[in-house]
Amino acid sequence: MILYKESSGISAYLEKQRQKGETIGFVPTMGALHRGHMALVETSAKHSGLTVCSIFVNPTQFNDPADFAKYPVTLENDLKMLAETGADIIFLPEVSEIYPAGMDQLKQYPLGQLETILEGKYRPGHFQGVCQVVHRLLEIVRPDVLYMGQKDYQQCMVVQQLIDTNNLPVRLETCTTIREDSGLAMSSRNMRLSEEDRSRAAEIYRTLSELKKQLKPGSLKALKGNAIKQLTDAGFKVDYLEICHALDLTIFDEWDGKTPVVALVAAFLSGVRLIDNLVLHA
Ligand code: AMP
């Protein structure tokens, strides 16, 4: 496994590999790695000649400075997991490598309604930050395939839009959400939960699974209201729980029984913000 800290170094190395005909798979992360991240690395390693993984806690995507300050860092363990899972090249840039001109006048991306609903609504500026970092990383790594997790459903849509509007020569491959046995979606933020809260957090997946069972054509209002109550009663502070068109995230209050729909939720438990989603009808 080779480690790079400078963008010029990794770009030059990967260019040589590309000229030799290697295909490149890329897994961008913010570290504090877990089995969800490793599933992406494994998938890339299976399908690409070289697997690149970046670890960079991107300041521009945190709308809450306290969340940024508390983001877990477990570099030694991350590198061990990556070596064991088959990553070939690790990119560990400083902020100045990603934003060489500073962070004051970064490019803004047209994202349409994706920026004003769900995560976009509750984390203003978050998806601009995601686009800024992913665009820059794609320019440095120039992968054939970009691997991202369905756990961040809306983020995958934002990144696909980034790729499409900028004609970036990369394919986005979305990988299914990896969960604990309890159903809790794996997340770096779970490390900040107490043992007791971690088991309570499984209520999110139970609620989503219940929604899936109860989904039927007609009004969705009672279904959504019950799900929010279930979470609130379990001690969560819910930012949103919505049922949306699975392909463009338009929020539905009624369902026709045919359109593909996904339920998406964001909720705080003891000050830790957790997100999850489940496709209810494909
Ligand atoms: P993060 O380090 O949280 O920015 O995540 C890096 C990548 O891993 C993103 O594409 C996430 O969607 C993905 N990811 C995070 N958690 C999971 C999970 N539980 N299952 C699958 N992918 C995940």
Side-chain angles (χ1 to χ4, degrees):
M1 201 163 79
I2 314 173
L3 266 63
Y4 282 98
K5 291 193 160 191
E6 286 174 10
S7 43
S8 55
I10 188 169
S11 283
Y13 175 80
L14 290 173
E15 184 53 35
K16 264 195 238 140
Q17 300 304 314
R18 230 180 332 264
Q19 278 169 13
K20 284 193 215 158
E22 285 283 22
T23 55
I24 298 169
F26 179 41
V27 181
T29 80
M30 297 203 296
L33 302 182
H34 49 69
R35 280 200 286 117
H37 297 112
M38 290 308 114
L40 303 183
V41 172
E42 270 166 23
T43 309
S44 172
K46 207 156 126 194
H47 296 104
S48 318
L50 285 175
T51 291
V52 180
C53 178
S54 63
I55 299 177
F56 177 65
V57 186
N58 173 36
T60 73
Q61 74 187 67
F62 284 83
N63 51 312
D64 175 4
D67 190 26
F68 177 59
K70 280 189 253 169
Y71 204 82
V73 176
T74 59
L75 185 57
E76 203 177 314
N77 192 51
D78 292 353
L79 295 177
K80 190 164 165 277
M81 286 173 87
L82 287 166
E84 285 167 4
T85 311
D88 301 294
I89 295 133
I90 312 301
F91 185 36
L92 294 170
E94 297 287 339
V95 170
S96 57
E97 288 294 321
I98 299 298
Y99 303 117
M103 294 192 289
D104 291 338
Q105 286 187 330
L106 293 170
K107 186 174 160 139
Q108 297 294 302
Y109 295 81
L111 295 173
Q113 76 157 359
L114 285 177
E115 200 169 17
T116 57
I117 56 169
L118 310 168
E119 288 301 281
K121 177 173 169 187
Y122 285 89
R123 301 188 67 188
H126 169 64
F127 286 132
Q128 290 298 328
V130 167
C131 286
Q132 287 152 359
V133 72
V134 172
H135 198 177
R136 173 76 176 131
L137 287 168
L138 289 175
E139 280 173 355
I140 294 168
V141 176
R142 294 183 50 213
D144 299 283
V145 187
L146 171 64
Y147 293 91
M148 300 190 89
Q150 191 176 338
K151 153 95 176 13
D152 297 279
Y153 196 99
Q154 192 173 2
Q155 172 170 276
C156 289
M157 293 190 128
V158 164
V159 169
Q160 187 62 60
Q161 191 157 321
L162 168 79
I163 291 169
D164 293 343
T165 47
N166 294 281
N167 281 317
L168 303 178
V170 62
R171 184 168 64 79
L172 173 64
E173 180 86 31
T174 303
C175 302
T176 62
T177 302
I178 305 298
R179 300 179 180 280
E180 309 267 7
D181 290 343
S182 67
L184 173 64
M186 295 205 170
S187 164
S188 306
R189 287 190 169 84
N190 295 352
M191 287 178 196
R192 289 172 46 206
L193 294 172
S194 67
E195 192 83 359
E196 193 191 333
D197 278 342
R198 223 172 150 123
S199 74
R200 199 185 306 175
E203 193 63 30
I204 295 181
Y205 186 64
R206 277 197 289 276
T207 303
L208 291 172
S209 304
E210 196 66 23
L211 267 182
K212 185 169 178 167
K213 265 194 231 145
Q214 291 181 3
L215 179 74
K216 55 180 189 319
S219 173
L220 299 171
K221 282 199 174 140
L223 201 60
K224 286 197 270 186
N226 290 342
I228 290 171
K229 182 168 183 312
Q230 191 173 331
L231 287 173
T232 309
D233 289 349
F236 290 86
K237 186 183 140 310
V238 178
D239 263 355
Y240 62 81
L241 183 148
E242 295 288 359
I243 297 175
C244 299
H245 195 307
L247 304 180
D248 66 13
L249 291 187
T250 298
I251 294 171
F252 286 152
D253 284 324
E254 295 216 358
W255 183 53
D256 62 6
K258 293 186 293 247
T259 308
V261 278
V262 58
L264 303 105
V265 58
F268 285 90
L269 186 60
S270 302
V272 181
R273 191 170 184 278
L274 303 171
I275 62 170
D276 201 353
N277 63 80
L278 190 66
V279 173
L280 304 182
H281 182 85

